[in-house]
Amino acid sequence: MAGLFARSLRHVARLDRTPFQLQILDLSHDGRGVARRDDGKAVFVAGALPGETVVVEQTARSRHFDEARTLEVLDASPDRVQPRCPHFGTCGGCVLQHLAEDRQIVAKQRVLLDNLERIGKVAPGTVLPPLTADSWGYRRKGRFSVRRVNKKDKTLVGFREQDPRFVAELRECHTVIPEIGMKIQALAALVDGLQAREQIPQIEFIAGDAAIALTVRHLVPLGEADRAALAAFGREHGFAIFLQPKGPDSVQPLEGEAPALSFRLPQWDVELAFEPLDFIQVNARLNDIMIARTLEMLDLQPEHRVLDLFCGLGNFTLPLARRVREVVGVEGDAGLVARARANAQRNGLDNAQFFAADLTQDQRGTPWMRQGFDRLLLDPPRSGADEVLKQLPLKDIRRIVYVSCHPGSLARDAGFLVNERGYRLVSAGVMDMFPHTAHVESIALFER
């Protein structure tokens, strides 16, 4: 281990920190400018935009590419704007605040199309207009890292810095809902005053329509004074405080009965209840728009049976149940499945069935797999849906809508559907679920 550390130090020492000038040629998938040295070696530059001339400092190097950060912009892009957040450039929560919003979504669209062509060897017949919604104060779910820094004599609460070894010292966050984003300093002061402050690694937040929950992860039991301080903070700021002493199943309200957490989807007269650590779409307004486009693309008829894979709490499943004869939702997390069933019952929907199944494993012997469906909806995690697509009997499914949070896995799965299973990629487009970040959410329609 000592030898590895020494080699690492030598690697850092060999970096040439002398500032130098670059012409930025492109934008990478993670929001950094792309340039070339005189010898042709690629350099990825944080804080730079295509067309700019910048002065940079090297921050890392490898055999195939170097990394750098912008020190000065000599010739700015017309698309450059002043970042709203004072922490931009240090905090790793956003990487695109310096790029005009209407150009951010264009850049994300290009990432999607490049991935489809390069990885999947496919192209959509139509590029859909991008879906956009709230670009500030939209993030209703997230996780702050917490770290006590004795050298600064303070506790930091925030997202990771661009160098993920460090926690950003945030005063405010403009992408998080204001009820949370404007109270980060108060939250840091709260934790700093706790006896267990060095044993609290993270705080998660999640907001429903009527309540906001903070879940405090703690590695040691909390004393009465700490519990009282947390309770008082919750009452003062209107937060429901939950404690997490161990894994996700250990979450419990700090005091009394937990408030109900839920959000409504008014267009479909549906209300979804959830727990403090459950997955929900972070951008509420964009979620409504996304569901509407998804149902439109599926071209639903009242007699249809629809299969909704990776269904979670029923975010798509329950609106679908308002439109078709029957919908089957399948999800790997048994807790989410139980809550999806409860949500269906709460909304008076008896035509929605839910099954718990690991969709990365062989499911060909399960009853739901062979029931026969007219439409398929996929909303997988970053790893995509390749395993379950190889198993599904697809011959009677005329339309597939694929909602993706990673363009690379979508492109791979699109190549399989088009080149091996006889579908055509009718249309695809991006959805700006995470403005000011490099995260690319997209949607695609496949048809026989």
Side-chain angles (χ1 to χ4, degrees), residues 139 141-145 158-160 202-205:
R139 196 186 297 243
K141 176 177 171 59
R143 176 187 297 166
F144 290 134
S145 296
F159 297 117
R160 293 283 174 171
Q202 66 190 42
I203 298 174
E204 298 203 29
F205 61 89

mmCIF file of all heavy atoms in Angstrom, residues 139 141-145 158-160 202-205:
data_model
loop_
_atom_site.group_PDB
_atom_site.id
_atom_site.type_symbol
_atom_site.label_atom_id
_atom_site.label_comp_id
_atom_site.label_asym_id
_atom_site.label_seq_id
_atom_site.Cartn_x
_atom_site.Cartn_y
_atom_site.Cartn_z
ATOM 1 N N ARG A 139 -35.307 20.012 -8.132
ATOM 2 C CA ARG A 139 -34.847 18.723 -7.603
ATOM 3 C C ARG A 139 -35.537 18.435 -6.277
ATOM 4 O O ARG A 139 -35.216 19.027 -5.249
ATOM 5 C CB ARG A 139 -33.330 18.749 -7.423
ATOM 6 C CG ARG A 139 -32.698 17.382 -7.249
ATOM 7 C CD ARG A 139 -31.219 17.505 -6.927
ATOM 8 N NE ARG A 139 -30.454 18.115 -7.982
ATOM 9 C CZ ARG A 139 -29.486 17.518 -8.668
ATOM 10 N NH1 ARG A 139 -29.198 16.260 -8.420
ATOM 11 N NH2 ARG A 139 -28.812 18.168 -9.594
ATOM 12 N N LYS A 141 -35.714 15.336 -4.882
ATOM 13 C CA LYS A 141 -35.108 14.184 -4.215
ATOM 14 C C LYS A 141 -33.599 14.245 -4.422
ATOM 15 O O LYS A 141 -33.125 14.604 -5.516
ATOM 16 C CB LYS A 141 -35.646 12.872 -4.787
ATOM 17 C CG LYS A 141 -34.966 11.623 -4.201
ATOM 18 C CD LYS A 141 -35.569 10.348 -4.719
ATOM 19 C CE LYS A 141 -34.745 9.133 -4.292
ATOM 20 N NZ LYS A 141 -34.625 8.986 -2.821
ATOM 21 N N GLY A 142 -32.841 13.920 -3.387
ATOM 22 C CA GLY A 142 -31.390 13.925 -3.519
ATOM 23 C C GLY A 142 -30.719 13.510 -2.233
ATOM 24 O O GLY A 142 -31.366 13.237 -1.207
ATOM 25 N N ARG A 143 -29.399 13.487 -2.293
ATOM 26 C CA ARG A 143 -28.606 13.073 -1.130
ATOM 27 C C ARG A 143 -27.444 14.037 -0.948
ATOM 28 O O ARG A 143 -26.650 14.244 -1.865
ATOM 29 C CB ARG A 143 -28.067 11.653 -1.322
ATOM 30 C CG ARG A 143 -27.141 11.187 -0.200
ATOM 31 C CD ARG A 143 -26.504 9.850 -0.543
ATOM 32 N NE ARG A 143 -27.523 8.809 -0.668
ATOM 33 C CZ ARG A 143 -27.283 7.618 -1.213
ATOM 34 N NH1 ARG A 143 -26.087 7.330 -1.700
ATOM 35 N NH2 ARG A 143 -28.248 6.719 -1.282
ATOM 36 N N PHE A 144 -27.362 14.623 0.230
ATOM 37 C CA PHE A 144 -26.227 15.460 0.594
ATOM 38 C C PHE A 144 -25.200 14.608 1.346
ATOM 39 O O PHE A 144 -25.562 13.814 2.223
ATOM 40 C CB PHE A 144 -26.647 16.608 1.512
ATOM 41 C CG PHE A 144 -27.473 17.672 0.839
ATOM 42 C CD1 PHE A 144 -28.621 18.157 1.442
ATOM 43 C CD2 PHE A 144 -27.088 18.208 -0.376
ATOM 44 C CE1 PHE A 144 -29.379 19.150 0.850
ATOM 45 C CE2 PHE A 144 -27.837 19.202 -0.989
ATOM 46 C CZ PHE A 144 -28.991 19.665 -0.372
ATOM 47 N N SER A 145 -23.940 14.789 1.005
ATOM 48 C CA SER A 145 -22.868 14.224 1.812
ATOM 49 C C SER A 145 -22.612 15.137 2.999
ATOM 50 O O SER A 145 -22.835 16.352 2.932
ATOM 51 C CB SER A 145 -21.593 14.075 0.975
ATOM 52 O OG SER A 145 -21.783 13.151 -0.079
ATOM 53 N N GLY A 158 -23.415 19.069 1.650
ATOM 54 C CA GLY A 158 -23.590 19.443 0.249
ATOM 55 C C GLY A 158 -23.349 18.272 -0.667
ATOM 56 O O GLY A 158 -23.175 17.130 -0.230
ATOM 57 N N PHE A 159 -23.349 18.554 -1.957
ATOM 58 C CA PHE A 159 -22.979 17.540 -2.933
ATOM 59 C C PHE A 159 -21.458 17.411 -2.957
ATOM 60 O O PHE A 159 -20.730 18.240 -2.403
ATOM 61 C CB PHE A 159 -23.500 17.915 -4.324
ATOM 62 C CG PHE A 159 -24.995 17.974 -4.401
ATOM 63 C CD1 PHE A 159 -25.653 19.169 -4.685
ATOM 64 C CD2 PHE A 159 -25.758 16.843 -4.185
ATOM 65 C CE1 PHE A 159 -27.035 19.232 -4.760
ATOM 66 C CE2 PHE A 159 -27.143 16.891 -4.247
ATOM 67 C CZ PHE A 159 -27.783 18.078 -4.539
ATOM 68 N N ARG A 160 -20.982 16.366 -3.598
ATOM 69 C CA ARG A 160 -19.548 16.205 -3.762
ATOM 70 C C ARG A 160 -19.005 17.300 -4.676
ATOM 71 O O ARG A 160 -19.697 17.790 -5.569
ATOM 72 C CB ARG A 160 -19.232 14.834 -4.359
ATOM 73 C CG ARG A 160 -19.566 13.671 -3.430
ATOM 74 C CD ARG A 160 -18.523 13.520 -2.360
ATOM 75 N NE ARG A 160 -18.887 12.506 -1.370
ATOM 76 C CZ ARG A 160 -18.073 12.074 -0.431
ATOM 77 N NH1 ARG A 160 -16.845 12.560 -0.350
ATOM 78 N NH2 ARG A 160 -18.475 11.173 0.435
ATOM 79 N N GLN A 202 -24.388 11.204 5.719
ATOM 80 C CA GLN A 202 -25.249 11.707 4.648
ATOM 81 C C GLN A 202 -26.630 12.052 5.173
ATOM 82 O O GLN A 202 -27.073 11.546 6.205
ATOM 83 C CB GLN A 202 -25.379 10.676 3.532
ATOM 84 C CG GLN A 202 -26.114 9.409 3.950
ATOM 85 C CD GLN A 202 -26.031 8.296 2.935
ATOM 86 O OE1 GLN A 202 -24.982 8.058 2.358
ATOM 87 N NE2 GLN A 202 -27.134 7.610 2.714
ATOM 88 N N ILE A 203 -27.292 12.929 4.447
ATOM 89 C CA ILE A 203 -28.686 13.287 4.717
ATOM 90 C C ILE A 203 -29.424 13.269 3.379
ATOM 91 O O ILE A 203 -29.024 13.956 2.439
ATOM 92 C CB ILE A 203 -28.813 14.676 5.361
ATOM 93 C CG1 ILE A 203 -28.101 14.700 6.723
ATOM 94 C CG2 ILE A 203 -30.273 15.071 5.523
ATOM 95 C CD1 ILE A 203 -28.050 16.084 7.358
ATOM 96 N N GLU A 204 -30.480 12.484 3.299
ATOM 97 C CA GLU A 204 -31.278 12.428 2.074
ATOM 98 C C GLU A 204 -32.532 13.287 2.246
ATOM 99 O O GLU A 204 -33.079 13.392 3.346
ATOM 100 C CB GLU A 204 -31.673 10.984 1.746
ATOM 101 C CG GLU A 204 -30.466 10.095 1.487
ATOM 102 C CD GLU A 204 -30.797 8.875 0.661
ATOM 103 O OE1 GLU A 204 -31.745 8.941 -0.161
ATOM 104 O OE2 GLU A 204 -30.108 7.849 0.825
ATOM 105 N N PHE A 205 -32.962 13.884 1.133
ATOM 106 C CA PHE A 205 -34.195 14.673 1.171
ATOM 107 C C PHE A 205 -35.133 14.187 0.079
ATOM 108 O O PHE A 205 -34.712 13.714 -0.978
ATOM 109 C CB PHE A 205 -33.908 16.173 1.008
ATOM 110 C CG PHE A 205 -33.251 16.557 -0.292
ATOM 111 C CD1 PHE A 205 -34.008 16.866 -1.417
ATOM 112 C CD2 PHE A 205 -31.867 16.629 -0.395
ATOM 113 C CE1 PHE A 205 -33.410 17.237 -2.614
ATOM 114 C CE2 PHE A 205 -31.253 16.988 -1.585
ATOM 115 C CZ PHE A 205 -32.025 17.293 -2.696
#
